[in-house]
PDB file of all heavy atoms in Angstrom:
ATOM      1  N   GLY K 122      77.270  88.793  65.451  1.00 56.00           N
ATOM      2  CA  GLY K 122      77.055  87.478  66.037  1.00 56.00           C
ATOM      3  C   GLY K 122      78.326  86.807  66.538  1.00 56.00           C
ATOM      4  O   GLY K 122      78.362  85.608  66.730  1.00 56.00           O
ATOM      5  N   LYS K 123      79.384  87.559  66.760  1.00 60.00           N
ATOM      6  CA  LYS K 123      80.638  86.977  67.223  1.00 60.00           C
ATOM      7  C   LYS K 123      80.522  86.545  68.682  1.00 60.00           C
ATOM      8  O   LYS K 123      79.728  87.070  69.443  1.00 60.00           O
ATOM      9  CB  LYS K 123      81.778  87.982  67.100  1.00 60.00           C
ATOM     10  CG  LYS K 123      82.127  88.319  65.678  1.00 60.00           C
ATOM     11  CD  LYS K 123      83.288  89.292  65.650  1.00 60.00           C
ATOM     12  CE  LYS K 123      83.632  89.638  64.211  1.00 60.00           C
ATOM     13  NZ  LYS K 123      84.730  90.616  64.148  1.00 60.00           N
ATOM     14  N   LEU K 124      81.368  85.579  69.053  1.00 57.00           N
ATOM     15  CA  LEU K 124      81.444  85.142  70.446  1.00 57.00           C
ATOM     16  C   LEU K 124      82.321  86.112  71.218  1.00 57.00           C
ATOM     17  O   LEU K 124      83.392  86.493  70.754  1.00 57.00           O
ATOM     18  CB  LEU K 124      82.050  83.760  70.553  1.00 57.00           C
ATOM     19  CG  LEU K 124      81.143  82.586  70.257  1.00 57.00           C
ATOM     20  CD1 LEU K 124      81.955  81.293  70.296  1.00 57.00           C
ATOM     21  CD2 LEU K 124      80.032  82.501  71.271  1.00 57.00           C
ATOM     22  N   HIS K 125      81.885  86.473  72.401  1.00 53.00           N
ATOM     23  CA  HIS K 125      82.674  87.330  73.278  1.00 53.00           C
ATOM     24  C   HIS K 125      82.726  86.687  74.653  1.00 53.00           C
ATOM     25  O   HIS K 125      81.743  86.146  75.124  1.00 53.00           O
ATOM     26  CB  HIS K 125      82.069  88.738  73.369  1.00 53.00           C
ATOM     27  CG  HIS K 125      82.155  89.491  72.089  1.00 53.00           C
ATOM     28  ND1 HIS K 125      83.286  90.152  71.708  1.00 53.00           N
ATOM     29  CD2 HIS K 125      81.255  89.652  71.088  1.00 53.00           C
ATOM     30  CE1 HIS K 125      83.089  90.710  70.526  1.00 53.00           C
ATOM     31  NE2 HIS K 125      81.858  90.420  70.128  1.00 53.00           N
ATOM     32  N   THR K 126      83.869  86.765  75.304  1.00 56.00           N
ATOM     33  CA  THR K 126      84.015  86.245  76.643  1.00 56.00           C
ATOM     34  C   THR K 126      84.228  87.409  77.592  1.00 56.00           C
ATOM     35  O   THR K 126      85.078  88.260  77.354  1.00 56.00           O
ATOM     36  CB  THR K 126      85.225  85.294  76.728  1.00 56.00           C
ATOM     37  OG1 THR K 126      85.052  84.254  75.777  1.00 56.00           O
ATOM     38  CG2 THR K 126      85.336  84.675  78.111  1.00 56.00           C
ATOM     39  N   VAL K 127      83.455  87.424  78.639  1.00 53.00           N
ATOM     40  CA  VAL K 127      83.601  88.481  79.646  1.00 53.00           C
ATOM     41  C   VAL K 127      83.689  87.832  81.015  1.00 53.00           C
ATOM     42  O   VAL K 127      83.283  86.687  81.220  1.00 53.00           O
ATOM     43  CB  VAL K 127      82.418  89.477  79.629  1.00 53.00           C
ATOM     44  CG1 VAL K 127      82.378  90.249  78.326  1.00 53.00           C
ATOM     45  CG2 VAL K 127      81.118  88.773  79.891  1.00 53.00           C
ATOM     46  N   SER K 128      84.206  88.567  81.949  1.00 53.00           N
ATOM     47  CA  SER K 128      84.271  88.077  83.317  1.00 53.00           C
ATOM     48  C   SER K 128      82.924  88.206  83.979  1.00 53.00           C
ATOM     49  O   SER K 128      82.260  89.235  83.843  1.00 53.00           O
ATOM     50  CB  SER K 128      85.290  88.893  84.119  1.00 53.00           C
ATOM     51  OG  SER K 128      86.569  88.729  83.572  1.00 53.00           O
ATOM     52  N   ALA K 129      82.518  87.189  84.670  1.00 52.00           N
ATOM     53  CA  ALA K 129      81.281  87.237  85.445  1.00 52.00           C
ATOM     54  C   ALA K 129      81.696  87.503  86.890  1.00 52.00           C
ATOM     55  O   ALA K 129      82.064  86.590  87.613  1.00 52.00           O
ATOM     56  CB  ALA K 129      80.508  85.939  85.304  1.00 52.00           C
ATOM     57  N   ARG K 130      81.707  88.741  87.300  1.00 52.00           N
ATOM     58  CA  ARG K 130      82.219  89.139  88.618  1.00 52.00           C
ATOM     59  C   ARG K 130      81.538  88.407  89.763  1.00 52.00           C
ATOM     60  O   ARG K 130      82.166  88.094  90.758  1.00 52.00           O
ATOM     61  CB  ARG K 130      82.053  90.644  88.824  1.00 52.00           C
ATOM     62  CG  ARG K 130      82.894  91.465  87.900  1.00 52.00           C
ATOM     63  CD  ARG K 130      84.270  91.547  88.455  1.00 52.00           C
ATOM     64  NE  ARG K 130      85.118  92.286  87.506  1.00 52.00           N
ATOM     65  CZ  ARG K 130      86.410  92.161  87.447  1.00 52.00           C
ATOM     66  NH1 ARG K 130      87.028  91.344  88.260  1.00 52.00           N
ATOM     67  NH2 ARG K 130      87.109  92.832  86.583  1.00 52.00           N
ATOM     68  N   ALA K 131      80.265  88.119  89.634  1.00 51.00           N
ATOM     69  CA  ALA K 131      79.553  87.480  90.731  1.00 51.00           C
ATOM     70  C   ALA K 131      79.923  86.005  90.881  1.00 51.00           C
ATOM     71  O   ALA K 131      79.693  85.410  91.915  1.00 51.00           O
ATOM     72  CB  ALA K 131      78.048  87.607  90.519  1.00 51.00           C
ATOM     73  N   GLY K 132      80.545  85.414  89.877  1.00 54.00           N
ATOM     74  CA  GLY K 132      80.817  83.976  89.898  1.00 54.00           C
ATOM     75  C   GLY K 132      82.226  83.615  90.318  1.00 54.00           C
ATOM     76  O   GLY K 132      82.754  82.627  89.860  1.00 54.00           O
ATOM     77  N   LYS K 133      82.832  84.407  91.187  1.00 65.00           N
ATOM     78  CA  LYS K 133      84.186  84.080  91.625  1.00 65.00           C
ATOM     79  C   LYS K 133      84.187  82.816  92.459  1.00 65.00           C
ATOM     80  O   LYS K 133      83.287  82.577  93.242  1.00 65.00           O
ATOM     81  CB  LYS K 133      84.794  85.234  92.415  1.00 65.00           C
ATOM     82  CG  LYS K 133      85.191  86.406  91.549  1.00 65.00           C
ATOM     83  CD  LYS K 133      86.012  87.379  92.318  1.00 65.00           C
ATOM     84  CE  LYS K 133      86.492  88.478  91.357  1.00 65.00           C
ATOM     85  NZ  LYS K 133      87.437  89.350  91.976  1.00 65.00           N
ATOM     86  N   GLY K 134      85.259  82.034  92.310  1.00 73.00           N
ATOM     87  CA  GLY K 134      85.394  80.795  93.064  1.00 73.00           C
ATOM     88  C   GLY K 134      86.756  80.722  93.701  1.00 73.00           C
ATOM     89  O   GLY K 134      87.526  81.681  93.678  1.00 73.00           O
ATOM     90  N   TYR K 135      87.059  79.548  94.247  1.00 78.00           N
ATOM     91  CA  TYR K 135      88.345  79.370  94.908  1.00 78.00           C
ATOM     92  C   TYR K 135      88.809  77.941  94.676  1.00 78.00           C
ATOM     93  O   TYR K 135      88.034  76.989  94.807  1.00 78.00           O
ATOM     94  CB  TYR K 135      88.219  79.650  96.414  1.00 78.00           C
ATOM     95  CG  TYR K 135      89.545  79.681  97.117  1.00 78.00           C
ATOM     96  CD1 TYR K 135      90.369  80.793  97.027  1.00 78.00           C
ATOM     97  CD2 TYR K 135      90.004  78.586  97.843  1.00 78.00           C
ATOM     98  CE1 TYR K 135      91.601  80.827  97.662  1.00 78.00           C
ATOM     99  CE2 TYR K 135      91.232  78.614  98.467  1.00 78.00           C
ATOM    100  CZ  TYR K 135      92.025  79.735  98.373  1.00 78.00           C
ATOM    101  OH  TYR K 135      93.242  79.771  98.975  1.00 78.00           O
ATOM    102  N   VAL K 136      90.071  77.778  94.336  1.00 79.00           N
ATOM    103  CA  VAL K 136      90.683  76.464  94.179  1.00 79.00           C
ATOM    104  C   VAL K 136      91.462  76.174  95.461  1.00 79.00           C
ATOM    105  O   VAL K 136      92.323  76.963  95.851  1.00 79.00           O
ATOM    106  CB  VAL K 136      91.636  76.432  92.962  1.00 79.00           C
ATOM    107  CG1 VAL K 136      92.349  75.090  92.881  1.00 79.00           C
ATOM    108  CG2 VAL K 136      90.867  76.725  91.685  1.00 79.00           C
TER     109      VAL K 136
END
Side-chain angles (χ1 to χ4, degrees):
K123 293 182 180 178
L124 280 175
H125 293 278
T126 303
V127 295
S128 297
R130 294 278 177 204
K133 287 191 175 188
Y135 189 78
V136 175

